[in-house]
Amino acid sequence: MMTKKPFVTKEQITEIAKTYPTPFHIYDEKGIRENAKAVLEAFSWNPGFKEYFAVKATPNPYIMSILRELGCGFDCASKTELMLSGAVGATGHEMMFSSNDTPAEEYAYAAKVGAIINLDDITHIPFVEEILGGKLPETMSCRYNPGGVFQMSNGIMDNPGDAKYGFTTEQMEEGFKILVSKGVKNLGIHAFLASNTVTNEYYPKLAAILFKEAVALKEKTGANITFINLSGGVGVPYRPDQTPNDIRVIGEGVRKAYEEILVPAGMGNVSIFTEMGRFMLAPYGALVTKAIHEKHTHKEYIGVDACAVNLMRPAIYGAYHHITVLGKENAPLDHVYDVTGSLCENCDKFAIDRELPEIEMGDYLVIHETGAHGYSMGYNYNGKLKSAELLLKEDGSVQKIRRAETPADYFATLDETPFYSKMDL
Ligand SMILES: *Cc1c(COP(=O)(O)O)cnc(C)c1O
């Protein structure tokens, strides 16, 4: 029987639910810290290494504070993510601004707070220059998209040629020449070529591509390349039969490519940056929900009190999230259910034809790996409200790190209309 062990027990959740009604997201501080330390250790061979946590994965300032305390910076894609990072204490180069189709106002804000701007396109060079009154920052980066298909030996494939992001190879050379001529002193190269890769091969393979590109760019443009950003894409095993990535093996693989390609080219002082979101947080968060209905029609359904508003990945990409019925961890998986939320959308199912133990009304279900791209992707369809976020601290206590939404939050943007005062808040 393939299984996953939740980081909370039935006894713990029964106690927590007395104060915080389900559904809620809960995060495991111990797991977050141990994993983040393993990441920093795996890349400690590189003195300039920095993990810029991808804020979009889990934009909660309490979680971000834990990561910052350990030495992480933040990768932001919008002004609001920069504002959040600033509120957590990040300044200047502790923030990376990797955005695309970027509004002028957001570039201006990124420059004002001193974040490293990672340009998504060659046309953004004059765009940013104009916004900043003709003076580019001393340190900038360009996002590279070599095109084609990116394939790994285990069959994982992604299609950069079909992705909207980044500069082509020719544009990288031209862009770097322009940036050097305009006085940019330190340049970086960034690329994100495959998502949720459950293989130790992805970063080393990406690193080799970027390191060769860096050597070529230095020769052709004379640019002073000070960092290479491997971005995100390191995955987690959502399914219990998958083998987790080993970050130490990944770090060693990147080191090998670094020593083979960059060091002989006299580029042994280049810093390695990463921007992981999923790998940093996904396994250390869970959505806890309660079974509130059972329905026996053409299929067997279990209705829970969470819905796609709390976790969208199954509805939008058919993503698998493992489910544990608390207190029934060792019971036989002798029932087959669709586990559904309440939205008026048939895709609002956390699981389809899933083998689970017999579920009784009131049972608590743990939906695994919701610590990244879980709460943050939520929306308010059907007027459904987003849940609370809780932090299970290292000492076993629970801290509310975001309250659940209320109808007043949902209606807040109507506050300037005559309807607002008629709301039964
Ligand atoms: C989404 C994103 C990340 C994080 O991706 P994960 O798959 O969560 O690691 C990092 N960098 C950029 C630019 C992104 O868009």
Side-chain angles (χ1 to χ4, degrees), residues 50 52 74-76 82 91-99 107 110-111 113-119 137-142 186-190 226-227 229 273 275:
K50 197 162 186 74
Y52 288 86
F74 302 113
D75 168 46
C76 303
L82 288 165
T91 58
H93 286 190
E94 288 176 283
M95 292 174 284
M96 185 69 63
F97 187 59
S98 284
S99 157
Y107 269 137
V113 298
I116 300 177
I117 291 176
N118 180 36
L119 297 166
E138 277 196 0
T139 301
M140 295 194 88
S141 164
C142 295
N186 309 307
L187 277 157
I189 303 173
H190 169 285
T226 56
F227 62 91
N229 187 338
F273 295 165
E275 292 173 346

Side-chain angles (χ1 to χ4, degrees), residues 35-56:
N35 179 65
K37 283 181 195 152
V39 167
L40 301 176
E41 181 61 34
F43 287 91
S44 57
W45 55 267
N46 183 259
F49 176 76
K50 197 162 186 74
E51 151 68 6
Y52 288 86
F53 173 64
V55 173
K56 70 170 187 231

Side-chain angles (χ1 to χ4, degrees), residues 51-57 75-77 96-100 118 143 165 190-192 194-197 203 229-235 238 274-280 372-373:
E51 151 68 6
Y52 288 86
F53 173 64
V55 173
K56 70 170 187 231
D75 168 46
C76 303
M96 185 69 63
F97 187 59
S98 284
S99 157
N100 73 93
N118 180 36
R143 183 166 181 165
Y165 312 104
H190 169 285
F192 191 148
S195 187
N196 191 32
T197 56
Y203 260 3
N229 187 338
L230 303 176
S231 178
V234 177
Y238 286 98
T274 57
E275 292 173 346
M276 290 180 273
R278 196 185 312 272
F279 187 79
M280 300 304 286
H373 312 295

